[in-house]
PDB file of all heavy atoms in Angstrom:
ATOM      1  N   LYS A 169     -15.062   2.961 -12.988  1.00 95.00           N
ATOM      2  CA  LYS A 169     -13.755   3.528 -13.257  1.00 95.00           C
ATOM      3  C   LYS A 169     -13.176   2.931 -14.546  1.00 95.00           C
ATOM      4  O   LYS A 169     -12.677   3.520 -15.413  1.00 95.00           O
ATOM      5  CB  LYS A 169     -12.754   3.199 -12.111  1.00 95.00           C
ATOM      6  CG  LYS A 169     -12.947   4.156 -10.943  1.00 95.00           C
ATOM      7  CD  LYS A 169     -11.942   3.965  -9.875  1.00 95.00           C
ATOM      8  CE  LYS A 169     -12.147   4.814  -8.678  1.00 95.00           C
ATOM      9  NZ  LYS A 169     -11.090   4.718  -7.639  1.00 95.00           N
ATOM     10  N   THR A 170     -13.237   1.562 -14.621  1.00 96.00           N
ATOM     11  CA  THR A 170     -12.644   0.817 -15.793  1.00 96.00           C
ATOM     12  C   THR A 170     -13.435   1.341 -17.094  1.00 96.00           C
ATOM     13  O   THR A 170     -12.732   1.520 -18.139  1.00 96.00           O
ATOM     14  CB  THR A 170     -12.843  -0.679 -15.677  1.00 96.00           C
ATOM     15  OG1 THR A 170     -12.347  -1.011 -14.364  1.00 96.00           O
ATOM     16  CG2 THR A 170     -12.020  -1.465 -16.665  1.00 96.00           C
ATOM     17  N   PHE A 171     -14.758   1.459 -16.984  1.00 97.00           N
ATOM     18  CA  PHE A 171     -15.536   1.822 -18.140  1.00 97.00           C
ATOM     19  C   PHE A 171     -15.162   3.317 -18.640  1.00 97.00           C
ATOM     20  O   PHE A 171     -15.016   3.483 -19.799  1.00 97.00           O
ATOM     21  CB  PHE A 171     -17.006   1.759 -17.819  1.00 97.00           C
ATOM     22  CG  PHE A 171     -17.947   2.029 -18.954  1.00 97.00           C
ATOM     23  CD1 PHE A 171     -17.526   1.582 -20.277  1.00 97.00           C
ATOM     24  CD2 PHE A 171     -19.097   2.739 -18.886  1.00 97.00           C
ATOM     25  CE1 PHE A 171     -18.362   1.829 -21.379  1.00 97.00           C
ATOM     26  CE2 PHE A 171     -19.910   2.951 -20.037  1.00 97.00           C
ATOM     27  CZ  PHE A 171     -19.588   2.551 -21.206  1.00 97.00           C
ATOM     28  N   ILE A 172     -14.896   4.203 -17.632  1.00 97.00           N
ATOM     29  CA  ILE A 172     -14.447   5.570 -17.996  1.00 97.00           C
ATOM     30  C   ILE A 172     -13.141   5.468 -18.743  1.00 97.00           C
ATOM     31  O   ILE A 172     -12.921   6.198 -19.871  1.00 97.00           O
ATOM     32  CB  ILE A 172     -14.348   6.423 -16.804  1.00 97.00           C
ATOM     33  CG1 ILE A 172     -15.774   6.779 -16.278  1.00 97.00           C
ATOM     34  CG2 ILE A 172     -13.592   7.871 -17.042  1.00 97.00           C
ATOM     35  CD1 ILE A 172     -15.868   7.483 -14.927  1.00 97.00           C
ATOM     36  N   VAL A 173     -12.190   4.661 -18.269  1.00 96.00           N
ATOM     37  CA  VAL A 173     -10.923   4.538 -18.918  1.00 96.00           C
ATOM     38  C   VAL A 173     -11.075   4.017 -20.396  1.00 96.00           C
ATOM     39  O   VAL A 173     -10.538   4.521 -21.351  1.00 96.00           O
ATOM     40  CB  VAL A 173      -9.974   3.572 -18.145  1.00 96.00           C
ATOM     41  CG1 VAL A 173      -8.692   3.263 -18.908  1.00 96.00           C
ATOM     42  CG2 VAL A 173      -9.606   4.163 -16.833  1.00 96.00           C
ATOM     43  N   ASN A 174     -11.938   3.030 -20.550  1.00 96.00           N
ATOM     44  CA  ASN A 174     -12.198   2.449 -21.840  1.00 96.00           C
ATOM     45  C   ASN A 174     -12.875   3.456 -22.728  1.00 96.00           C
ATOM     46  O   ASN A 174     -12.521   3.598 -23.977  1.00 96.00           O
ATOM     47  CB  ASN A 174     -13.154   1.241 -21.678  1.00 96.00           C
ATOM     48  CG  ASN A 174     -12.432   0.070 -20.898  1.00 96.00           C
ATOM     49  OD1 ASN A 174     -11.259   0.013 -20.688  1.00 96.00           O
ATOM     50  ND2 ASN A 174     -13.152  -0.856 -20.667  1.00 96.00           N
ATOM     51  N   ALA A 175     -13.857   4.174 -22.196  1.00 96.00           N
ATOM     52  CA  ALA A 175     -14.690   5.105 -22.987  1.00 96.00           C
ATOM     53  C   ALA A 175     -13.830   6.339 -23.494  1.00 96.00           C
ATOM     54  O   ALA A 175     -14.116   6.874 -24.536  1.00 96.00           O
ATOM     55  CB  ALA A 175     -15.824   5.606 -22.203  1.00 96.00           C
ATOM     56  N   LEU A 176     -12.773   6.595 -22.804  1.00 95.00           N
ATOM     57  CA  LEU A 176     -11.908   7.779 -23.184  1.00 95.00           C
ATOM     58  C   LEU A 176     -10.849   7.363 -24.206  1.00 95.00           C
ATOM     59  O   LEU A 176     -10.105   8.163 -24.704  1.00 95.00           O
ATOM     60  CB  LEU A 176     -11.190   8.419 -21.901  1.00 95.00           C
ATOM     61  CG  LEU A 176     -12.093   9.350 -21.142  1.00 95.00           C
ATOM     62  CD1 LEU A 176     -11.385   9.603 -19.878  1.00 95.00           C
ATOM     63  CD2 LEU A 176     -12.232  10.600 -21.941  1.00 95.00           C
ATOM     64  N   SER A 177     -10.937   6.011 -24.559  1.00 87.00           N
ATOM     65  CA  SER A 177      -9.913   5.608 -25.549  1.00 87.00           C
ATOM     66  C   SER A 177     -10.025   6.461 -26.806  1.00 87.00           C
ATOM     67  O   SER A 177     -11.087   6.953 -27.181  1.00 87.00           O
ATOM     68  CB  SER A 177     -10.001   4.059 -25.827  1.00 87.00           C
ATOM     69  OG  SER A 177     -10.989   3.902 -26.883  1.00 87.00           O
ATOM     70  N   PRO A 178      -8.943   6.657 -27.577  1.00 89.00           N
ATOM     71  CA  PRO A 178      -7.550   6.150 -27.492  1.00 89.00           C
ATOM     72  C   PRO A 178      -6.628   6.749 -26.381  1.00 89.00           C
ATOM     73  O   PRO A 178      -5.401   6.695 -26.495  1.00 89.00           O
ATOM     74  CB  PRO A 178      -6.974   6.294 -28.911  1.00 89.00           C
ATOM     75  CG  PRO A 178      -7.685   7.553 -29.338  1.00 89.00           C
ATOM     76  CD  PRO A 178      -9.061   7.668 -28.659  1.00 89.00           C
TER      77      PRO A 178
END
Side-chain angles (χ1 to χ4, degrees):
K169 283 186 182 181
T170 312
F171 186 37
I172 288 172
V173 172
N174 294 351
L176 278 167
S177 86

